mmCIF file of all heavy atoms in Angstrom:
data_model
loop_
_atom_site.group_PDB
_atom_site.id
_atom_site.type_symbol
_atom_site.label_atom_id
_atom_site.label_comp_id
_atom_site.label_asym_id
_atom_site.label_seq_id
_atom_site.Cartn_x
_atom_site.Cartn_y
_atom_site.Cartn_z
ATOM 1 N N LEU Z 23 183.785 40.445 27.618
ATOM 2 C CA LEU Z 23 183.267 39.367 28.451
ATOM 3 C C LEU Z 23 184.042 39.249 29.756
ATOM 4 O O LEU Z 23 183.451 39.089 30.826
ATOM 5 C CB LEU Z 23 183.333 38.028 27.690
ATOM 6 C CG LEU Z 23 183.048 36.766 28.509
ATOM 7 C CD1 LEU Z 23 181.623 36.763 29.035
ATOM 8 C CD2 LEU Z 23 183.325 35.521 27.696
ATOM 9 N N ILE Z 33 179.894 34.403 36.881
ATOM 10 C CA ILE Z 33 180.639 33.204 36.490
ATOM 11 C C ILE Z 33 179.690 32.044 36.267
ATOM 12 O O ILE Z 33 179.907 31.185 35.410
ATOM 13 C CB ILE Z 33 181.743 32.847 37.513
ATOM 14 C CG1 ILE Z 33 182.777 31.889 36.891
ATOM 15 C CG2 ILE Z 33 181.179 32.228 38.759
ATOM 16 C CD1 ILE Z 33 183.613 32.488 35.810
ATOM 17 N N ARG Z 34 178.590 32.011 37.027
ATOM 18 C CA ARG Z 34 177.583 30.972 36.803
ATOM 19 C C ARG Z 34 176.959 31.115 35.424
ATOM 20 O O ARG Z 34 176.814 30.132 34.694
ATOM 21 C CB ARG Z 34 176.495 31.064 37.874
ATOM 22 C CG ARG Z 34 176.913 30.606 39.259
ATOM 23 C CD ARG Z 34 175.845 30.954 40.271
ATOM 24 N NE ARG Z 34 176.193 30.508 41.618
ATOM 25 C CZ ARG Z 34 175.702 31.062 42.721
ATOM 26 N NH1 ARG Z 34 174.844 32.081 42.634
ATOM 27 N NH2 ARG Z 34 176.060 30.592 43.918
ATOM 28 N N VAL Z 35 176.595 32.330 35.061
ATOM 29 C CA VAL Z 35 176.004 32.569 33.741
ATOM 30 C C VAL Z 35 176.999 32.206 32.646
ATOM 31 O O VAL Z 35 176.634 31.595 31.635
ATOM 32 C CB VAL Z 35 175.548 34.039 33.590
ATOM 33 C CG1 VAL Z 35 175.053 34.321 32.169
ATOM 34 C CG2 VAL Z 35 174.447 34.357 34.594
ATOM 35 N N PHE Z 36 178.256 32.583 32.853
ATOM 36 C CA PHE Z 36 179.297 32.229 31.888
ATOM 37 C C PHE Z 36 179.337 30.724 31.671
ATOM 38 O O PHE Z 36 179.309 30.233 30.544
ATOM 39 C CB PHE Z 36 180.667 32.721 32.376
ATOM 40 C CG PHE Z 36 181.822 32.183 31.571
ATOM 41 C CD1 PHE Z 36 182.162 32.751 30.357
ATOM 42 C CD2 PHE Z 36 182.559 31.082 32.018
ATOM 43 C CE1 PHE Z 36 183.212 32.245 29.593
ATOM 44 C CE2 PHE Z 36 183.601 30.568 31.274
ATOM 45 C CZ PHE Z 36 183.924 31.152 30.050
ATOM 46 N N MET Z 37 179.409 29.974 32.734
ATOM 47 C CA MET Z 37 179.551 28.523 32.632
ATOM 48 C C MET Z 37 178.309 27.862 32.025
ATOM 49 O O MET Z 37 178.420 26.914 31.241
ATOM 50 C CB MET Z 37 179.851 27.931 34.012
ATOM 51 C CG MET Z 37 181.159 28.406 34.607
ATOM 52 S SD MET Z 37 181.546 27.657 36.206
ATOM 53 C CE MET Z 37 182.260 26.104 35.670
ATOM 54 N N GLU Z 38 177.137 28.345 32.389
ATOM 55 C CA GLU Z 38 175.895 27.756 31.880
ATOM 56 C C GLU Z 38 175.776 27.888 30.365
ATOM 57 O O GLU Z 38 175.129 27.064 29.715
ATOM 58 C CB GLU Z 38 174.690 28.426 32.560
ATOM 59 C CG GLU Z 38 174.536 28.034 34.027
ATOM 60 C CD GLU Z 38 173.624 28.964 34.813
ATOM 61 O OE1 GLU Z 38 173.040 29.883 34.200
ATOM 62 O OE2 GLU Z 38 173.506 28.785 36.031
ATOM 63 N N ASN Z 39 176.414 28.894 29.813
ATOM 64 C CA ASN Z 39 176.392 29.104 28.366
ATOM 65 C C ASN Z 39 177.624 28.524 27.672
ATOM 66 O O ASN Z 39 177.529 27.978 26.571
ATOM 67 C CB ASN Z 39 176.267 30.601 28.053
ATOM 68 C CG ASN Z 39 174.903 31.150 28.396
ATOM 69 O OD1 ASN Z 39 173.945 31.001 27.648
ATOM 70 N ND2 ASN Z 39 174.787 31.779 29.562
ATOM 71 N N HIS Z 40 178.769 28.642 28.317
ATOM 72 C CA HIS Z 40 180.022 28.170 27.723
ATOM 73 C C HIS Z 40 180.112 26.647 27.685
ATOM 74 O O HIS Z 40 180.815 26.073 26.845
ATOM 75 C CB HIS Z 40 181.203 28.744 28.521
ATOM 76 C CG HIS Z 40 182.537 28.233 28.087
ATOM 77 N ND1 HIS Z 40 183.332 27.450 28.900
ATOM 78 C CD2 HIS Z 40 183.210 28.360 26.921
ATOM 79 C CE1 HIS Z 40 184.431 27.125 28.258
ATOM 80 N NE2 HIS Z 40 184.394 27.661 27.058
ATOM 81 N N VAL Z 41 179.369 25.975 28.545
ATOM 82 C CA VAL Z 41 179.459 24.519 28.652
ATOM 83 C C VAL Z 41 179.155 23.813 27.329
ATOM 84 O O VAL Z 41 179.674 22.731 27.058
ATOM 85 C CB VAL Z 41 178.521 23.999 29.777
ATOM 86 C CG1 VAL Z 41 177.055 24.189 29.425
ATOM 87 C CG2 VAL Z 41 178.828 22.540 30.089
ATOM 88 N N TYR Z 42 178.368 24.456 26.461
ATOM 89 C CA TYR Z 42 178.048 23.833 25.171
ATOM 90 C C TYR Z 42 179.282 23.792 24.262
ATOM 91 O O TYR Z 42 179.429 22.885 23.447
ATOM 92 C CB TYR Z 42 176.889 24.570 24.501
ATOM 93 C CG TYR Z 42 175.614 24.414 25.302
ATOM 94 C CD1 TYR Z 42 175.270 25.331 26.293
ATOM 95 C CD2 TYR Z 42 174.774 23.331 25.094
ATOM 96 C CE1 TYR Z 42 174.125 25.175 27.067
ATOM 97 C CE2 TYR Z 42 173.620 23.160 25.849
ATOM 98 C CZ TYR Z 42 173.313 24.082 26.838
ATOM 99 O OH TYR Z 42 172.178 23.901 27.609
ATOM 100 N N ALA Z 43 180.162 24.765 24.425
ATOM 101 C CA ALA Z 43 181.422 24.752 23.668
ATOM 102 C C ALA Z 43 182.381 23.722 24.245
ATOM 103 O O ALA Z 43 183.184 23.140 23.507
ATOM 104 C CB ALA Z 43 182.061 26.143 23.688
ATOM 105 N N VAL Z 44 182.311 23.507 25.552
ATOM 106 C CA VAL Z 44 183.122 22.460 26.169
ATOM 107 C C VAL Z 44 182.671 21.094 25.646
ATOM 108 O O VAL Z 44 183.488 20.225 25.335
ATOM 109 C CB VAL Z 44 182.995 22.508 27.708
ATOM 110 C CG1 VAL Z 44 183.787 21.372 28.360
ATOM 111 C CG2 VAL Z 44 183.467 23.856 28.242
ATOM 112 N N TRP Z 45 181.348 20.931 25.522
ATOM 113 C CA TRP Z 45 180.804 19.657 25.054
ATOM 114 C C TRP Z 45 181.109 19.404 23.582
ATOM 115 O O TRP Z 45 181.594 18.328 23.218
ATOM 116 C CB TRP Z 45 179.285 19.616 25.271
ATOM 117 C CG TRP Z 45 178.655 18.443 24.597
ATOM 118 C CD1 TRP Z 45 178.695 17.142 25.017
ATOM 119 C CD2 TRP Z 45 177.965 18.443 23.347
ATOM 120 N NE1 TRP Z 45 178.050 16.331 24.104
ATOM 121 C CE2 TRP Z 45 177.595 17.104 23.070
ATOM 122 C CE3 TRP Z 45 177.609 19.437 22.428
ATOM 123 C CZ2 TRP Z 45 176.901 16.736 21.927
ATOM 124 C CZ3 TRP Z 45 176.917 19.070 21.295
ATOM 125 C CH2 TRP Z 45 176.570 17.742 21.050
ATOM 126 N N ASP Z 46 180.848 20.377 22.705
ATOM 127 C CA ASP Z 46 180.968 20.079 21.263
ATOM 128 C C ASP Z 46 182.423 19.927 20.814
ATOM 129 O O ASP Z 46 182.704 19.344 19.768
ATOM 130 C CB ASP Z 46 180.216 21.102 20.412
ATOM 131 C CG ASP Z 46 180.957 22.423 20.199
ATOM 132 O OD1 ASP Z 46 181.902 22.723 20.950
ATOM 133 O OD2 ASP Z 46 180.572 23.158 19.282
ATOM 134 N N PHE Z 98 184.907 17.459 30.177
ATOM 135 C CA PHE Z 98 183.515 17.904 30.208
ATOM 136 C C PHE Z 98 182.899 17.598 31.573
ATOM 137 O O PHE Z 98 182.218 18.458 32.164
ATOM 138 C CB PHE Z 98 182.723 17.214 29.099
ATOM 139 C CG PHE Z 98 181.243 17.479 29.150
ATOM 140 C CD1 PHE Z 98 180.727 18.713 28.794
ATOM 141 C CD2 PHE Z 98 180.360 16.490 29.570
ATOM 142 C CE1 PHE Z 98 179.361 18.973 28.847
ATOM 143 C CE2 PHE Z 98 178.995 16.731 29.623
ATOM 144 C CZ PHE Z 98 178.493 17.975 29.263
ATOM 145 N N TYR Z 101 184.119 19.929 34.141
ATOM 146 C CA TYR Z 101 183.460 21.229 34.012
ATOM 147 C C TYR Z 101 182.101 21.202 34.703
ATOM 148 O O TYR Z 101 181.736 22.145 35.423
ATOM 149 C CB TYR Z 101 183.300 21.579 32.540
ATOM 150 C CG TYR Z 101 183.065 23.053 32.259
ATOM 151 C CD1 TYR Z 101 184.137 23.918 32.086
ATOM 152 C CD2 TYR Z 101 181.778 23.580 32.161
ATOM 153 C CE1 TYR Z 101 183.939 25.270 31.819
ATOM 154 C CE2 TYR Z 101 181.567 24.917 31.889
ATOM 155 C CZ TYR Z 101 182.652 25.760 31.729
ATOM 156 O OH TYR Z 101 182.446 27.096 31.471
ATOM 157 N N MET Z 105 180.700 23.447 37.781
ATOM 158 C CA MET Z 105 179.430 24.177 37.748
ATOM 159 C C MET Z 105 178.611 23.889 39.000
ATOM 160 O O MET Z 105 178.053 24.801 39.621
ATOM 161 C CB MET Z 105 178.636 23.786 36.498
ATOM 162 C CG MET Z 105 179.212 24.312 35.201
ATOM 163 S SD MET Z 105 178.279 23.769 33.740
ATOM 164 C CE MET Z 105 176.730 24.674 33.946
ATOM 165 N N ILE Z 115 172.000 21.583 30.428
ATOM 166 C CA ILE Z 115 172.986 20.830 29.658
ATOM 167 C C ILE Z 115 172.792 19.324 29.863
ATOM 168 O O ILE Z 115 172.991 18.530 28.933
ATOM 169 C CB ILE Z 115 174.443 21.255 30.025
ATOM 170 C CG1 ILE Z 115 175.470 20.519 29.157
ATOM 171 C CG2 ILE Z 115 174.730 21.046 31.496
ATOM 172 C CD1 ILE Z 115 175.377 20.791 27.684
ATOM 173 N N LEU Z 137 168.340 28.527 24.145
ATOM 174 C CA LEU Z 137 169.671 29.116 24.031
ATOM 175 C C LEU Z 137 169.672 30.293 23.063
ATOM 176 O O LEU Z 137 168.885 30.316 22.107
ATOM 177 C CB LEU Z 137 170.679 28.070 23.542
ATOM 178 C CG LEU Z 137 171.059 26.952 24.508
ATOM 179 C CD1 LEU Z 137 171.840 25.875 23.772
ATOM 180 C CD2 LEU Z 137 171.863 27.502 25.672
ATOM 181 N N ILE Z 141 174.728 30.941 20.280
ATOM 182 C CA ILE Z 141 175.251 29.705 20.864
ATOM 183 C C ILE Z 141 174.854 28.524 19.985
ATOM 184 O O ILE Z 141 175.653 27.626 19.721
ATOM 185 C CB ILE Z 141 174.734 29.519 22.303
ATOM 186 C CG1 ILE Z 141 175.214 30.686 23.177
ATOM 187 C CG2 ILE Z 141 175.210 28.182 22.875
ATOM 188 C CD1 ILE Z 141 174.643 30.675 24.584
ATOM 189 N N PHE Z 144 177.045 28.506 16.987
ATOM 190 C CA PHE Z 144 178.387 28.029 17.322
ATOM 191 C C PHE Z 144 178.441 26.506 17.248
ATOM 192 O O PHE Z 144 179.323 25.919 16.608
ATOM 193 C CB PHE Z 144 178.770 28.502 18.726
ATOM 194 C CG PHE Z 144 180.160 28.115 19.159
ATOM 195 C CD1 PHE Z 144 181.225 28.978 18.981
ATOM 196 C CD2 PHE Z 144 180.399 26.879 19.748
ATOM 197 C CE1 PHE Z 144 182.517 28.623 19.375
ATOM 198 C CE2 PHE Z 144 181.681 26.513 20.147
ATOM 199 C CZ PHE Z 144 182.735 27.383 19.959
ATOM 200 N N VAL Z 145 177.479 25.858 17.896
ATOM 201 C CA VAL Z 145 177.458 24.391 17.915
ATOM 202 C C VAL Z 145 177.137 23.839 16.525
ATOM 203 O O VAL Z 145 177.756 22.862 16.073
ATOM 204 C CB VAL Z 145 176.450 23.878 18.958
ATOM 205 C CG1 VAL Z 145 176.366 22.349 18.929
ATOM 206 C CG2 VAL Z 145 176.834 24.355 20.356
ATOM 207 N N ARG Z 168 190.232 26.225 18.576
ATOM 208 C CA ARG Z 168 190.214 25.712 19.948
ATOM 209 C C ARG Z 168 191.616 25.625 20.560
ATOM 210 O O ARG Z 168 191.996 26.448 21.380
ATOM 211 C CB ARG Z 168 189.561 24.314 19.989
ATOM 212 C CG ARG Z 168 188.181 24.220 19.332
ATOM 213 C CD ARG Z 168 187.117 24.995 20.064
ATOM 214 N NE ARG Z 168 185.830 24.890 19.410
ATOM 215 C CZ ARG Z 168 184.777 24.228 19.887
ATOM 216 N NH1 ARG Z 168 184.858 23.587 21.029
ATOM 217 N NH2 ARG Z 168 183.622 24.218 19.228
ATOM 218 N N ILE Z 172 192.674 28.496 23.131
ATOM 219 C CA ILE Z 172 192.199 28.337 24.503
ATOM 220 C C ILE Z 172 193.131 28.911 25.570
ATOM 221 O O ILE Z 172 192.660 29.572 26.502
ATOM 222 C CB ILE Z 172 191.902 26.847 24.797
ATOM 223 C CG1 ILE Z 172 190.650 26.399 24.021
ATOM 224 C CG2 ILE Z 172 191.721 26.600 26.286
ATOM 225 C CD1 ILE Z 172 189.392 27.167 24.339
ATOM 226 N N ILE Z 175 192.489 32.746 26.061
ATOM 227 C CA ILE Z 175 191.197 33.177 26.607
ATOM 228 C C ILE Z 175 190.945 32.614 27.998
ATOM 229 O O ILE Z 175 190.338 33.288 28.836
ATOM 230 C CB ILE Z 175 190.030 32.848 25.646
ATOM 231 C CG1 ILE Z 175 189.898 31.352 25.391
ATOM 232 C CG2 ILE Z 175 190.180 33.590 24.339
ATOM 233 C CD1 ILE Z 175 188.726 30.997 24.480
ATOM 234 N N PHE Z 176 191.454 31.413 28.287
ATOM 235 C CA PHE Z 176 191.264 30.859 29.621
ATOM 236 C C PHE Z 176 192.130 31.573 30.655
ATOM 237 O O PHE Z 176 191.765 31.650 31.829
ATOM 238 C CB PHE Z 176 191.555 29.358 29.623
ATOM 239 C CG PHE Z 176 190.349 28.516 29.260
ATOM 240 C CD1 PHE Z 176 189.237 29.088 28.657
ATOM 241 C CD2 PHE Z 176 190.326 27.167 29.515
ATOM 242 C CE1 PHE Z 176 188.133 28.321 28.307
ATOM 243 C CE2 PHE Z 176 189.222 26.386 29.179
ATOM 244 C CZ PHE Z 176 188.128 26.964 28.579
ATOM 245 N N VAL Z 179 189.969 34.418 31.761
ATOM 246 C CA VAL Z 179 188.901 33.968 32.656
ATOM 247 C C VAL Z 179 189.484 33.645 34.028
ATOM 248 O O VAL Z 179 188.908 33.996 35.069
ATOM 249 C CB VAL Z 179 188.177 32.730 32.079
ATOM 250 C CG1 VAL Z 179 187.170 32.178 33.081
ATOM 251 C CG2 VAL Z 179 187.472 33.080 30.777
ATOM 252 N N PHE Z 193 187.406 24.338 39.518
ATOM 253 C CA PHE Z 193 187.350 25.242 38.373
ATOM 254 C C PHE Z 193 188.743 25.745 38.033
ATOM 255 O O PHE Z 193 189.136 25.794 36.870
ATOM 256 C CB PHE Z 193 186.409 26.409 38.666
ATOM 257 C CG PHE Z 193 186.157 27.302 37.473
ATOM 258 C CD1 PHE Z 193 185.807 26.763 36.243
ATOM 259 C CD2 PHE Z 193 186.256 28.679 37.576
ATOM 260 C CE1 PHE Z 193 185.569 27.575 35.140
ATOM 261 C CE2 PHE Z 193 186.013 29.498 36.481
ATOM 262 C CZ PHE Z 193 185.674 28.939 35.266
ATOM 263 N N TYR Z 196 190.547 22.952 36.315
ATOM 264 C CA TYR Z 196 190.109 22.789 34.932
ATOM 265 C C TYR Z 196 190.786 23.824 34.032
ATOM 266 O O TYR Z 196 191.325 23.486 32.966
ATOM 267 C CB TYR Z 196 188.590 22.933 34.831
ATOM 268 C CG TYR Z 196 188.086 22.951 33.412
ATOM 269 C CD1 TYR Z 196 187.793 21.766 32.742
ATOM 270 C CD2 TYR Z 196 187.921 24.153 32.722
ATOM 271 C CE1 TYR Z 196 187.353 21.771 31.425
ATOM 272 C CE2 TYR Z 196 187.486 24.173 31.411
ATOM 273 C CZ TYR Z 196 187.197 22.981 30.772
ATOM 274 O OH TYR Z 196 186.779 22.996 29.465
ATOM 275 N N LEU Z 197 190.763 25.078 34.438
ATOM 276 C CA LEU Z 197 191.370 26.139 33.629
ATOM 277 C C LEU Z 197 192.880 25.959 33.523
ATOM 278 O O LEU Z 197 193.449 26.042 32.429
ATOM 279 C CB LEU Z 197 191.046 27.512 34.229
ATOM 280 C CG LEU Z 197 189.580 27.943 34.199
ATOM 281 C CD1 LEU Z 197 189.400 29.234 35.006
ATOM 282 C CD2 LEU Z 197 189.096 28.166 32.766
ATOM 283 N N HIS Z 200 193.843 23.083 31.158
ATOM 284 C CA HIS Z 200 193.732 23.391 29.729
ATOM 285 C C HIS Z 200 194.824 24.357 29.272
ATOM 286 O O HIS Z 200 195.347 24.223 28.163
ATOM 287 C CB HIS Z 200 192.343 23.964 29.416
ATOM 288 C CG HIS Z 200 191.371 22.906 29.038
ATOM 289 N ND1 HIS Z 200 191.211 22.472 27.743
ATOM 290 C CD2 HIS Z 200 190.534 22.160 29.778
ATOM 291 C CE1 HIS Z 200 190.304 21.520 27.699
ATOM 292 N NE2 HIS Z 200 189.879 21.305 28.924
ATOM 293 N N ARG Z 241 183.240 32.158 17.653
ATOM 294 C CA ARG Z 241 183.650 32.297 19.051
ATOM 295 C C ARG Z 241 183.414 33.726 19.540
ATOM 296 O O ARG Z 241 182.967 33.934 20.676
ATOM 297 C CB ARG Z 241 185.129 31.931 19.199
ATOM 298 C CG ARG Z 241 185.712 32.184 20.573
ATOM 299 C CD ARG Z 241 185.222 31.235 21.626
ATOM 300 N NE ARG Z 241 185.749 29.900 21.430
ATOM 301 C CZ ARG Z 241 185.691 28.943 22.352
ATOM 302 N NH1 ARG Z 241 185.129 29.175 23.530
ATOM 303 N NH2 ARG Z 241 186.178 27.738 22.099
ATOM 304 N N LEU Z 244 179.828 34.015 20.196
ATOM 305 C CA LEU Z 244 179.516 33.282 21.423
ATOM 306 C C LEU Z 244 179.863 34.135 22.636
ATOM 307 O O LEU Z 244 179.073 34.238 23.583
ATOM 308 C CB LEU Z 244 180.309 31.973 21.459
ATOM 309 C CG LEU Z 244 180.237 31.161 22.753
ATOM 310 C CD1 LEU Z 244 178.846 30.579 22.958
ATOM 311 C CD2 LEU Z 244 181.286 30.046 22.755
ATOM 312 N N TRP Z 245 181.038 34.744 22.624
ATOM 313 C CA TRP Z 245 181.465 35.611 23.721
ATOM 314 C C TRP Z 245 180.525 36.809 23.849
ATOM 315 O O TRP Z 245 180.203 37.228 24.962
ATOM 316 C CB TRP Z 245 182.896 36.053 23.477
ATOM 317 C CG TRP Z 245 183.979 35.337 24.216
ATOM 318 C CD1 TRP Z 245 185.202 35.856 24.520
ATOM 319 C CD2 TRP Z 245 184.005 33.983 24.712
ATOM 320 N NE1 TRP Z 245 185.972 34.918 25.175
ATOM 321 C CE2 TRP Z 245 185.266 33.770 25.317
ATOM 322 C CE3 TRP Z 245 183.076 32.942 24.712
ATOM 323 C CZ2 TRP Z 245 185.608 32.556 25.923
ATOM 324 C CZ3 TRP Z 245 183.422 31.731 25.299
ATOM 325 C CH2 TRP Z 245 184.668 31.558 25.901
ATOM 326 N N ILE Z 248 177.352 35.606 25.578
ATOM 327 C CA ILE Z 248 177.513 35.356 27.006
ATOM 328 C C ILE Z 248 177.666 36.658 27.778
ATOM 329 O O ILE Z 248 177.110 36.820 28.872
ATOM 330 C CB ILE Z 248 178.718 34.426 27.260
ATOM 331 C CG1 ILE Z 248 178.486 33.061 26.594
ATOM 332 C CG2 ILE Z 248 178.939 34.241 28.760
ATOM 333 C CD1 ILE Z 248 179.655 32.095 26.712
#
Side-chain angles (χ1 to χ4, degrees):
L23 170 64
I33 198 68
R34 288 171 179 156
V35 175
F36 170 80
M37 297 182 82
E38 289 163 4
N39 289 280
H40 175 246
V41 68
Y42 294 91
V44 177
W45 170 76
D46 80 342
F98 173 73
Y101 199 88
M105 289 178 69
I115 183 62
L137 290 169
I141 299 174
F144 182 94
V145 177
R168 308 293 180 110
I172 290 301
I175 61 178
F176 273 16
V179 174
F193 187 49
Y196 173 87
L197 294 172
H200 269 272
R241 173 71 70 166
L244 173 69
W245 260 205
I248 298 176

